[in-house]
Amino acid sequence: IYLMKLKALKALFIAIYDTFTKGYTYHSSSLTYSFTMVLGSLFMFFSFLLSFLPFFDVNKVINYLVNFFPGQAEKVIDEILKIYQHRTSSSIISLLIAYFFSVGFVKTLHQAFLYVLQEVKTEKEWAFWIKMPFFVIVFTILMSLTPFLGLVLKLFMGNYTSYVLNFLTIWLIAFLTYFLFLPKKYKIESIILGSLFFTFGMLLLNRLFSLILIKFITLNPLYGFLGSLLLFFVWVNLSFTLLLSGARFI
């Protein structure tokens, strides 16, 4: 038991040390860019998808945007109507774009894990295009909802239950990511420990960023809006840094 604890502490020290000395931020920045592209294309796809729902009213959308852009009202209406008329083809195109960027994200993640783990094994090309992008789409949605999940669970289920469910959600994302995307198979015990490393780091990161965001909002609502956009990208970047650190811990 003593040797196991000593080995775990050594792995923890190496993971933290390499995070600050081995250039993980370069790969996390590349992952942030790829993640943003997937997220943006998925946002476009779901926006078009919502237009097919029975409760969607394009006139309300037009009125809202006209009030928001009063000087460009006519141009805004023309652009919305053009998009609305081609919503079927636009939905398909946006889904294909999301799929394309998902493949790019998978390749970037694979290269980042190869660098962190100092492996030379490469995945077959068909896996990037067929097997993995479907998981990436789910991964992107879950990663985007993670900061808000804890708040929603806290409101409806109380502090203790929300913390437990939030912990399990983050841990499951990390576990599936390591299990499916690491360049070689590792022991389940090692993946569990690496996922726990990532989960505890994410909980601390989310707590810190929630305090900073609340500070921005209390200072000025405009600062809160602009600051939240900046904080989101910083949060994504640091999240991927923690993900790579967790892989190094494994």
Side-chain angles (χ1 to χ4, degrees), residues 30-131:
S30 181
L31 287 167
T32 300
Y33 171 78
S34 298
F35 175 83
T36 305
M37 293 297 99
V38 178
L39 186 64
S41 54
L42 284 177
F43 177 79
M44 291 175 55
F45 170 70
F46 285 114
S47 298
F48 289 122
L49 198 63
L50 286 174
S51 65
F52 291 97
L53 298 178
F55 57 81
F56 179 82
D57 190 350
V58 67
N59 294 321
K60 291 183 179 180
V61 176
I62 292 175
N63 292 333
Y64 175 79
L65 293 177
V66 167
N67 293 330
F68 199 75
F69 303 102
Q72 304 288 332
E74 184 176 352
K75 185 176 180 180
V76 169
I77 293 175
D78 290 339
E79 292 299 325
I80 292 176
L81 291 177
K82 288 179 181 178
I83 296 173
Y84 188 75
Q85 291 173 355
H86 300 88
R87 52 182 176 163
T88 301
S89 57
S90 299
S91 300
I92 297 174
I93 293 173
S94 60
L95 181 61
L96 293 175
I97 293 174
Y99 183 84
F100 173 79
F101 283 125
S102 297
V103 175
F105 176 82
V106 169
K107 291 183 177 180
T108 304
L109 182 61
H110 182 72
Q111 290 298 322
F113 280 152
L114 288 176
Y115 175 81
V116 169
L117 299 172
Q118 299 178 353
E119 298 284 348
V120 294
K121 179 182 178 181
T122 57
E123 188 67 67
K124 294 181 179 179
E125 185 68 21
W126 68 266
F128 293 127
W129 288 93
I130 298 177
K131 182 175 64 175

Side-chain angles (χ1 to χ4, degrees), residues 35 39 138-149 232 235:
F35 175 83
L39 186 64
V138 177
F139 171 84
T140 305
I141 296 172
L142 290 177
M143 281 288 288
S144 305
L145 295 177
T146 297
F148 310 102
L149 181 62
F232 173 75
W235 173 83

Side-chain angles (χ1 to χ4, degrees), residues 1-18:
I1 297 176
Y2 175 78
L3 291 177
M4 291 177 61
K5 291 182 178 179
L6 186 62
K7 184 178 179 181
L9 289 175
K10 181 181 178 181
L12 178 62
F13 173 79
I14 293 175
I16 296 175
Y17 178 80
D18 286 352

Side-chain angles (χ1 to χ4, degrees), residues 148-216:
F148 310 102
L149 181 62
L151 178 61
V152 173
L153 293 175
K154 185 176 181 179
L155 290 175
F156 290 97
M157 307 187 70
N159 291 333
Y160 179 76
T161 305
S162 65
Y163 288 144
V164 171
L165 292 178
N166 192 27
F167 179 90
L168 292 176
T169 301
I170 298 174
W171 179 86
L172 181 61
I173 292 174
F175 180 84
L176 291 176
T177 301
Y178 292 140
F179 183 78
L180 293 176
F181 291 104
L182 287 178
K184 71 176 185 179
K185 298 298 182 181
Y186 289 85
K187 294 180 180 179
I188 296 296
E189 295 82 359
S190 299
I191 297 178
I192 291 175
L193 290 176
S195 302
L196 288 174
F197 176 91
F198 173 78
T199 302
F200 284 116
M202 283 299 300
L203 291 175
L204 292 175
L205 182 66
N206 290 344
R207 178 62 178 172
L208 176 63
F209 272 66
S210 63
L211 293 176
I212 296 175
L213 184 58
I214 291 173
K215 185 66 175 179
F216 271 117

